[in-house]
């Protein structure tokens, strides 16, 4: 009986295989042994890592093959180590998914997205992609409006193609070379043990190999790594990325996202500093802000710089494009601000002007990473509010960008008028951003309310990148030098009209009966003036960071400095400023509001008396200016560093 049954069972199994294609295919697989599969994956990932690292550097160098190979030849150790980091990152993704080809495709899609963003940022700002840029991810829609729409479409299609292609390849290989996993226990089917092992190994390896880059000790000066024959450059991230490559540069800046606790930081130290300067505050003379002025206006004019400082590389026809600014320089306290930023970073400049704190030690963007977490922060608005002023902020764009809708409230602004709430929305030339004229009209409407005093802060958008957004039919200022640029010509044309609107606004301020003061400044220069920022001469690079500022009033007001004193200071700072009638010292934005308070002769918050010392000891506190030099080691600057850390990242003992 048993002999008769065996052929029947075998026949049934054969019939099932023939009638069940799925099972037939499973038996037809040429299964590769596990050791060979793992070995193949490692060799494959090592090879792909070299290609991906080359691709990252190629994209970072804006598609310049010669520059990419030149960097590899100059920095073979850094390139090799970058390949190791890329291999560990790919290994982590592949181990986590346990899909070699799809994991590689996913990694390449992510790399394509990141490098595309990096290229677009560099085009707009001549600056590399930094980790803190991703902290604006909730504003991705607004940021995307500044880049090429078709470029984004191509990127999306490319990512879809990569993911679909790698997914199909993964499916094909597994179908024909994979294991017959259905009959295995679930832990073998899901490869729990090897999957977990390789994921942990790659993660630990990645952490160990990046630790010395991320947790570097020196943030503001050069940090040498002898065994790699390279240096990290803290003061200039464009140079840092160019020298060390995108991967090293990006990892280095991850370590700068969190401010390091200064030496001697404690509740007792902060209390001692505060007590010392409170004594200075008590002895100082001065009136309340409300006794001195009726209206205080603070205007940040987007990307407003002075083309007449830049004629060595960008000479132009048409004469001086800024006649109204020149008139203000002649008649009112004025000077040049040394912006820590170039081509972008408006929020960092705005933060320093409003608060009197500095971004020098934070290494991040406070508007996105710090202030939203704080209960409050003293600013020019909180001082005005304590003097019974109404406090209003205006920004001719989306209030979500840089989380201004939240940050302004924490700094003491009672009302925030963004683009959606603006009454006047006339666009520059009918097609660009909202014009400066519309913003000024918005301010003047607020000042019509005579029942109370006003603080109004306004941020314009007219000159924002892309600098040809207004599409001017006629350009009055044509470049005549070696460096030709339609973008620069459009930028200068926009500046000319912004200057015209500024003159009209100040004429209206003169008509007011109420005592009104205007602190006005440009936040940074256009990223299009790349000949200066990439120059090998420091005096040229410094010029790329200078923007005009002035303090205007419809009553008599005078600077506490003379033109000759400021000229000598600028010579001491080694700044090539050729403008005449400048009688306020060149300084960074953290000192601007204190300069205003001193000129008005008012009683100030305690922090501003610290700035009285800081802005004399170190008037230009910016990595771009200091480069690889440390700031002066003065008591005031040390106290300032401790206070900045305490208020932004510490225990906030200053308020206790």
């Amino acid at each position: 009986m048993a002999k008769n049954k065996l052929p029947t069972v075998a026949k049934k199994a054969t019939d099932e295989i023939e009638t069940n294609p799925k099972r037939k295919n499973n038996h037809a697989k040429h299964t590769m042994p596990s050791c060979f599969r793992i070995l193949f994956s490692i060799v494959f990932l090592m090879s792909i890592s070299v290609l991906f690292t080359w691709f990252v550097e190629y994209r970072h160098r804006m598609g310049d093959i010669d520059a990419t190979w030149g960097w590899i030849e100059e920095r073979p150790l850094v390139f090799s180590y970058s390949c190791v980091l890329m291999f560990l990152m790919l290994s982590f993704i592949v181990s986590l998914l346990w899909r070699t080809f799809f994991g590689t495709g996913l990694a390449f899609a992510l790399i394509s997205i990141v490098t595309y963003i990096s290229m677009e940022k560099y085009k707009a700002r001549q600056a590399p992609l930094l980790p803190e840029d991703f902290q604006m991810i909730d504003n991705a829609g607004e940021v995307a409006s500044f880049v090429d729409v078709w470029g984004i479409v191509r990127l999306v299609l490319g990512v879809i193609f990569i993911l679909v292609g790698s997914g199909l390849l993964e499916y094909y290989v597994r179908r024909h070379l994979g294991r017959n996993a259905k009959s295995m226990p679930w832990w073998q089917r899901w490869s729990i043990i090897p999957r977990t092992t390789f994921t942990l190994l790659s993660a630990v390896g990645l952490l160990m190999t990046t630790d010395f880059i991320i947790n570097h000790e020196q943030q503001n000066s050069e940090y040498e790594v002898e065994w790699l024959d390279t240096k990290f450059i803290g003061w200039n991230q464009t140079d840092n990325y160019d020298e060390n490559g995108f991967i090293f540069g990006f990892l280095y800046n991850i370590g700068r996202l969190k401010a390091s606790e200064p030496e001697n930081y404690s509740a007792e130290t902060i209390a001692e500093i505060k007590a010392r300067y409170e004594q200075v505050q008590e002895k100082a003379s001065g009136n309340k802000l409300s006794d001195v002025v009726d209206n205080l206006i603070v205007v940040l004019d987007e990307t407003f710089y002075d083309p007449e400082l830049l004629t060595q590389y960008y000479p132009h026809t048409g004469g001086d494009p800024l006649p109204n600014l020149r008139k203000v320089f002649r008649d009112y306290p004025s000077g040049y601000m040394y912006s820590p930023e170039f081509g972008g970073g408006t929020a960092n400049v705005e933060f320093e002007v409003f608060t009197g704190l500095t971004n020098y030690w934070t290494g991040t963007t406070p508007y996105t990473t710090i202030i939203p977490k704080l209960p409050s922060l003293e600013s020019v608005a909180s001082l005005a509010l304590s003097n019974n002023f109404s406090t209003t902020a205006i920004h001719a764009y989306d209030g979500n960008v840089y989380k201004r809708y939240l940050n302004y409230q924490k700094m003491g602004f009672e009302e925030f008028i963004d683009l959606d709430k603006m009454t006047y929305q006339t666009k520059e030339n009918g097609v660009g951003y909202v014009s400066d004229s519309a913003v000024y009209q918005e301010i003047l409407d607020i000042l019509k309310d005579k029942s109370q005093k006003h603080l109004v802060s306004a941020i314009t958008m007219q000159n924002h990148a892309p600098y040809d957004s207004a599409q001017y039919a006629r350009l009055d200022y044509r470049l005549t030098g070696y460096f030709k640029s339609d973008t620069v010509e459009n930028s200068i044309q926009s500046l000319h009209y912004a200057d015209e609107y500024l003159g009209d606004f100040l004429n209206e301020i003169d008509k007011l009966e109420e005592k009104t003061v205007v602190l006005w400044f440009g936040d940074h220069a256009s990223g299009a003036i790349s000949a200066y920022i990439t120059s090998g001469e420091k005096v040229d690079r410094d010029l790329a960071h200078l923007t005009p500022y002035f303090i205007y009033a419809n009553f008599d007001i005078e600077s506490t400095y003379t033109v000759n004193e400021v000229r000598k200071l600028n010579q001491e700072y080694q700044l090539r400023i050729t403008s005449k009638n400048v009688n306020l010292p060149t300084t960074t934005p953290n000192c601007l509001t204190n300069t205003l308070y001193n000129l008005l002769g008012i009683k100030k918050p305690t922090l501003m008396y610290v700035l009285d010392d800081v802005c004399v000891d170190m008037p230009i506190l910016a990595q771009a200016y200091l480069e690889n030099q440390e700031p002066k080691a003065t008591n005031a600057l040390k106290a300032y560093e401790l206070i900045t850390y305490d208020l932004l990242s510490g225990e906030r003992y200053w308020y206790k």
Side-chain angles (χ1 to χ4, degrees):
M1 294 291 294
K3 290 182 179 180
N4 292 333
K5 288 183 179 179
L6 286 174
T8 304
V9 173
K11 187 175 185 302
K12 286 183 178 180
T14 304
D15 291 343
E16 186 176 348
I17 292 173
E18 291 177 351
T19 57
N20 189 339
K22 186 174 182 180
R23 186 169 178 184
K24 182 178 180 180
N25 287 339
N26 284 338
H27 281 269
K29 287 182 179 180
H30 303 284
T31 305
M32 183 184 292
S34 296
C35 59
F36 288 158
R37 285 203 309 272
I38 293 173
L39 181 61
F40 169 80
S41 296
I42 292 174
V43 173
F44 173 76
L45 291 178
M46 290 176 65
S47 303
I48 289 295
S49 296
V50 176
L51 293 176
F52 280 11
T53 304
W54 183 90
F55 177 76
V56 167
E57 298 305 330
Y58 167 77
R59 298 266 280 187
H60 170 63
R61 285 162 176 77
M62 307 302 289
D64 189 330
I65 295 178
D66 292 337
T68 304
W69 284 115
W71 175 78
I72 293 173
E73 291 174 356
E74 291 176 6
R75 293 284 187 271
L77 294 177
V78 174
F79 175 74
S80 299
Y81 202 86
S82 297
C83 291
V84 172
L85 298 179
M86 180 66 73
F87 168 73
L88 290 171
M89 185 197 75
L90 289 177
S91 298
F92 176 77
I93 294 174
V94 167
S95 299
L96 195 63
L97 298 175
W98 210 241
R99 300 286 187 274
T100 300
F101 296 106
F102 182 72
T104 303
L106 177 62
F108 186 63
L110 294 174
I111 289 170
S112 299
I113 293 170
V114 170
T115 53
Y116 173 79
I117 296 171
S118 178
M119 293 173 71
E120 290 300 315
K121 181 184 177 184
Y122 193 85
K123 288 177 186 177
R125 300 183 178 182
Q126 297 292 308
L129 184 69
L130 300 172
E132 55 261 38
D133 293 325
F134 288 97
Q135 293 166 339
M136 283 188 64
I137 195 67
D138 53 342
N139 300 134
E142 289 80 13
V143 176
S145 66
F146 299 144
V147 300
D148 177 23
V149 175
W150 287 111
I152 296 177
V153 172
R154 290 193 298 271
L155 176 67
V156 171
L157 293 176
V159 166
I160 293 173
F161 176 79
I162 292 168
L163 294 178
V164 172
S166 60
L168 290 174
L169 179 60
E170 185 75 43
Y171 173 78
Y172 178 83
V173 171
R174 281 182 170 268
R175 183 176 179 83
H176 293 279
L177 297 177
R179 301 175 300 164
N180 295 316
K182 286 191 174 183
S183 60
M184 296 179 178
W186 68 269
W187 61 86
Q188 290 184 354
R189 186 163 59 249
W190 291 97
S191 305
I192 295 299
I193 294 176
R195 190 173 186 174
T196 303
T197 301
F198 283 106
T199 300
L200 290 176
L201 284 175
S202 57
V204 171
L206 195 59
L207 291 173
M208 292 177 63
T209 52
T210 59
D211 180 72
F212 79 97
I213 307 175
I214 296 175
N215 297 318
H216 49 80
E217 296 179 358
Q218 301 179 38
Q219 293 190 355
N220 302 318
S221 60
E222 292 187 348
Y223 167 44
E224 187 171 1
V225 187
E226 293 183 0
W227 59 277
L228 282 174
D229 190 27
T230 193
K231 289 181 179 180
F232 292 106
I233 304 169
W235 61 270
N236 187 323
Q237 288 313 303
T238 300
D239 287 352
N240 189 34
Y241 276 60
D242 288 345
E243 288 289 319
N244 297 299
F246 181 90
I247 295 173
F248 269 39
F250 193 86
L251 290 172
Y252 174 83
N253 280 277
I254 290 177
R256 295 159 58 89
L257 286 175
K258 184 178 180 180
S260 301
E261 181 177 305
E263 186 179 355
N264 297 326
Y265 174 69
S266 67
E268 293 75 17
T269 305
I270 297 298
E272 186 276 326
I273 295 171
K274 186 175 182 181
R276 187 195 332 155
Y277 280 98
E278 282 179 338
Q279 291 180 359
V280 176
Q281 183 183 35
E282 290 174 4
K283 295 177 182 178
S285 60
N287 298 312
K288 293 175 62 177
L289 177 65
S290 55
D291 294 334
V292 177
V293 298
D294 299 310
N295 300 313
L296 178 58
I297 314 299
V298 180
V299 177
L300 182 158
D301 203 302
E302 172 67 44
T303 318
F304 199 109
Y305 59 101
D306 188 351
E308 299 308 285
L309 293 181
L310 310 173
T311 54
Q312 179 181 353
Y313 296 147
Y314 298 104
H316 58 80
T317 63
D320 186 353
L322 309 177
N324 289 295
L325 179 70
R326 223 61 66 191
K327 180 181 178 182
V328 174
F329 269 31
R330 184 178 67 246
D331 298 333
Y332 293 88
S334 54
Y336 286 92
M337 181 186 80
Y338 193 103
S339 175
E341 307 294 335
F342 174 79
T346 298
N348 290 336
V349 176
E350 183 184 334
F351 157 76
E352 292 198 11
V353 173
F354 282 178
T355 65
L357 298 172
T358 178
N359 205 37
Y360 180 78
W361 290 293
T362 65
T364 184
T365 302
Y367 267 23
T368 58
T369 62
I370 297 177
I371 300 180
K373 302 175 185 176
L374 301 179
S376 63
L377 189 64
E378 284 187 353
S379 72
V380 62
S382 60
L383 175 63
L385 197 62
S386 67
N387 279 261
N388 297 318
F389 281 63
S390 71
T391 54
T392 305
I394 302 171
H395 181 35
Y397 203 62
D398 191 325
N400 292 299
V401 174
Y402 287 118
K403 301 182 180 179
R404 286 187 175 94
Y405 71 95
L406 179 61
N407 295 324
Y408 284 163
Q409 184 179 15
K410 292 177 180 289
M411 289 191 291
F413 286 100
E414 298 173 297
E415 185 178 6
F416 177 30
I417 302 173
D418 67 357
L419 182 60
D420 289 339
K421 298 179 182 177
M422 286 181 64
T423 303
Y424 303 92
Q425 299 195 8
T426 304
K427 292 187 175 182
E428 180 61 8
N429 199 35
V431 294
Y433 295 107
V434 170
S435 71
D436 284 12
S437 178
V439 176
Y440 291 139
Q441 189 58 54
E442 204 79 32
I443 297 172
L444 293 171
D445 267 15
I446 293 173
L447 301 185
K448 289 178 181 178
D449 180 3
K450 313 293 186 181
S451 64
Q452 58 186 137
K453 298 176 183 291
H454 299 281
L455 165 75
V456 183
S457 166
I459 303 172
T460 71
M461 280 294 292
Q462 175 176 315
N463 304 316
H464 199 290
Y467 305 112
D468 57 353
S469 62
Q471 301 175 23
Y472 294 112
R474 188 186 82 253
L475 297 176
D476 300 317
Y477 305 94
R478 292 288 187 177
L479 298 181
T480 58
Y482 173 80
F483 296 98
K484 304 293 186 181
S485 171
D486 293 340
T487 302
V488 173
E489 291 176 347
N490 276 280
S491 176
I492 296 175
Q493 190 70 40
S494 180
L495 289 173
H496 172 68
Y497 288 122
D499 177 82
E500 180 180 312
Y501 305 144
L502 174 63
D504 294 339
F505 173 64
L506 296 179
N507 287 336
E508 294 300 317
I509 294 296
D510 284 338
K511 298 176 183 178
L512 297 176
E513 296 179 358
E514 296 76 22
K515 298 176 72 174
T516 303
V517 174
V518 179
L519 169 61
W520 182 99
F521 59 96
D523 59 337
H524 57 74
S526 162
I529 58 168
S530 56
Y532 281 91
I533 202 66
T534 59
S535 170
E537 300 293 328
K538 185 178 185 301
V539 289
D540 290 339
R541 298 194 297 272
D542 286 337
L543 283 175
H545 286 275
L546 295 178
T547 63
Y549 79 98
F550 62 77
I551 299 171
Y552 189 94
N554 60 0
F555 55 92
D556 291 338
I557 190 171
E558 294 183 359
S559 173
T560 54
Y561 292 82
T562 66
V563 171
N564 287 333
E565 287 173 337
V566 171
R567 184 180 295 117
K568 290 179 181 178
L569 285 174
N570 286 332
Q571 290 173 352
E572 180 183 333
Y573 305 154
Q574 297 182 332
L575 297 174
R576 194 170 60 213
I577 296 177
T578 55
S579 292
K580 300 178 180 178
N581 305 312
V582 175
N583 59 7
L584 287 177
T586 303
T587 189
T588 34
N590 60 309
C591 294
L592 248 60
T593 302
N594 190 53
T595 300
L596 168 68
Y597 292 161
N598 288 341
L599 200 145
L600 295 177
I602 64 169
K603 277 280 189 179
K604 309 179 296 184
T606 310
L607 175 63
M608 294 298 153
Y609 293 95
V610 181
L611 282 169
D612 282 342
D613 293 335
V614 169
C615 297
V616 171
D617 293 346
M618 204 72 215
I620 304 179
L621 186 57
Q623 288 186 14
Y625 176 75
L626 292 170
E627 297 194 337
N628 61 343
Q629 302 298 316
E630 294 290 335
K632 293 179 182 178
T634 67
N635 290 333
L637 203 65
K638 180 60 180 176
Y640 188 44
E641 180 183 5
L642 288 164
I643 295 167
T644 299
Y645 177 81
D646 178 63
L647 292 179
L648 299 179
S649 305
E651 300 299 323
R652 296 167 67 84
Y653 298 126
W654 184 262
Y655 291 148
K656 296 178 181 178

